[in-house]
Amino acid sequence: MSDVHSFSRPDEISVRHLSLDLTVDFESHKLRGSATLDLERHAPASEVVLDTRDLTIRRVTLDDANEDVAFTLGEPDKFMGRSLTIPIGEDTKRIRVEYESSPEAAAVQWLSPEQTAGKKHPFLFTQSESILARSWVPCQDTPGVRMTYDATIRVPKDLLAVMSADNPTERSADGVYRFTMPQPIPSYLLALSVGDLGFRDLGGDCGVYAEQSVVDAAAWELADTPAMVEAAASIYGPYRWGRYDILVLPPSFPFGGMENPRLTFATPTILAGDRSLVALVAHELAHSWSGNLVTNATWNDFWLNEGFTVYFERRIMEKIRGRDYEEMLALLGMQDLEADVAELGADSPDTHLLLDLEGRDADDGMTKVAYEKGAFFLRLVEETVGREAFDRFLMDYFEQHAFQSMDTRGFVEWLKANLLDKHPGSEARIDLDAWIDGPGIPANAPRPRSDAFQKVEKELSRFESGTPAKELQTEGWSTHEWIHFVRHLPKATSLDRMAELDEAFGLSDTGNNEILCDWLMQAIQRGYEPAMPAVERFLTNQGRRKYLKPLYQALAATPEGLEKARAIYKKARPMYHSVSYGTIDGILGV
Ligand code: BES
Ligand code: ZN
């Protein structure tokens, strides 16, 4: 179970508690203070090795001694940063590291007041997954180690600080906030955000934080959250983390969502005004079991986090919106998977569920393979043994492995012993090898069915045979029907007919970012110029990598497009988080 993305040696010594004391300095863009780590010994060792990246280490002391110890920093690695080796005594129980982060710390984004909705106060947030926690906290940055934590965070007086822990809902008088996280978590779930935040209670121990001017809209959009928690707990067992709150971040947040325990971080691009994009909340909530309670042991086992979570997200959506709704999500997921497998190559080892990321960035495993191939694998198991047996198995699996990590081989053994062996013939029908260690989409993959999408396809063929756009029967279509429609526009659609669609349905102006992204992709690929201002607006107004990456890639496919993309990027890059600009730099060669 050794983790190729960490310098640490948890087999010898593991960190079981972290105590942070940090001052948030918006002037110099630095976090400054100390991390105190409680050690647990498993084998004799005369040193502890931690992960760091771009940290300045001021001094290291042991236990209650005031004497500096001679630490060493290893050679920097592009993805892994630098090891921090600390000599310790036989009885050392605690180490204290005084340090500060770099203004360029990869996990941290510092927003100027102009980059926020309120325009008056600066804002900060962190994004630690996969291996970026080490850029703001020296730690054993591997998902195989869990620790509890507490933190004292000092911020400017008019701002609120929140973490992946128990959170305040009101400002403190002195700008000092104290946090505790009593459940042990892996380092990638460490999270902090500071800003002019407001809070709204949603009932059922759920709530929303967001910038003051966004918080009411966010609370309206996310009103289904308590029902989701209830639906989730009825399938996977009790919610083990106390409250479940959501922080809606400024638009530069690079992901759709991040499952920081007790406080999901979410993009504001899900605020569509009609609650149509809240499956994302079901997803991040589902991680409270798959990922946060039972954690992938290494990033090669990433599908154990994400595949389970997508499977579970769909089960939650089925419960609250019905099977037809869920099947639309599943079909769009299959389309995404087919596209990623085509891009990676049908024989690529990166299309196996169990990955080999040695020597590469841990985030290279973040493809639809982990998410969708993983989810369809679990759906196949469900359909093979029956839902009732599978649910009993899942409930027990999460119960038995709560607050532990799991690797792929361990899961497969557990699956065989506790489920498949009890259902003769099931293992042969599932063909574990083809899914876990084989490429592409196995032939026995489940095929979702959606009557709603068949109706969309009927309208697509009417459009293709000449029916004017405004005569198509689109009444009552949900976001997902629109996505299916836009993705499958006939190849031969002329620019005049693109304009006709745009006029009939206002696609370039839609406030639904999922539909918008797919529409703008079509516009770029077909050279539909009237949508170019919308492309530029979209790329400069938000920084979600899932939207940026395909659009910049599509633009970069022609020389004129590349030039245009670079011009837009020049303006937009300063608002993107490192996770996003790291990817786009590569696409545009800048
Ligand atoms: N845990 C992921 C985000 C992540 C993965 C960050 C790997 C860094 C490295 C999160 O749960 C996620 O999957 N977010 C998705 C949304 C979801 C609905 C598929 C996203 O951000 O698009
Ligand atoms: Zn996820």
Side-chain angles (χ1 to χ4, degrees), residues 328 450-463 472-473 477-478 480-486 488:
M328 291 197 281
S450 162
D451 294 342
F453 277 10
Q454 279 173 9
K455 289 188 189 139
V456 171
E457 285 153 27
K458 203 173 130 216
E459 296 312 302
L460 277 164
S461 52
R462 288 181 64 221
F463 177 69
L472 296 176
Q473 278 160 31
W477 278 9
S478 70
H480 307 100
E481 285 146 311
W482 278 112
I483 292 172
H484 192 59
F485 180 80
V486 169
H488 293 91

Side-chain angles (χ1 to χ4, degrees), residues 69 89 113 156 178 186 219 238 256 273 294-295 340 485 534 586:
V69 296
R178 296 207 162 74
V294 182
T295 305
D340 268 17
F485 180 80

Side-chain angles (χ1 to χ4, degrees), residues 14-44:
S14 59
V15 171
R16 63 157 171 230
H17 183 81
L18 159 72
S19 190
L20 275 178
D21 187 327
L22 293 176
T23 298
V24 178
D25 183 346
F26 278 102
E27 235 108 84
S28 64
H29 288 185
K30 286 177 177 174
L31 301 170
R32 192 176 299 117
S34 66
T36 305
L37 309 168
D38 291 356
L39 309 179
E40 186 170 327
R41 292 176 183 260
H42 310 286

Side-chain angles (χ1 to χ4, degrees), residues 129 257-259 283-284 287 290 302 305-307 309-310 313 366 371:
E129 192 180 12
M258 178 64 213
E259 65 271 27
H283 179 96
E284 304 312 333
H287 275 304
S290 41
F302 185 53
N305 272 18
E306 298 300 342
T309 298
V310 171
E313 163 198 339
M366 201 192 178
Y371 287 79

Side-chain angles (χ1 to χ4, degrees), residues 131 168 198 202 204 214 226 249 332 337 379 382 406 539:
I131 54 171
L202 295 175
V214 179
L249 288 151
L332 293 177
L337 176 59
R379 175 164 166 166
E382 180 207 305
M406 177 56 82
L539 293 174

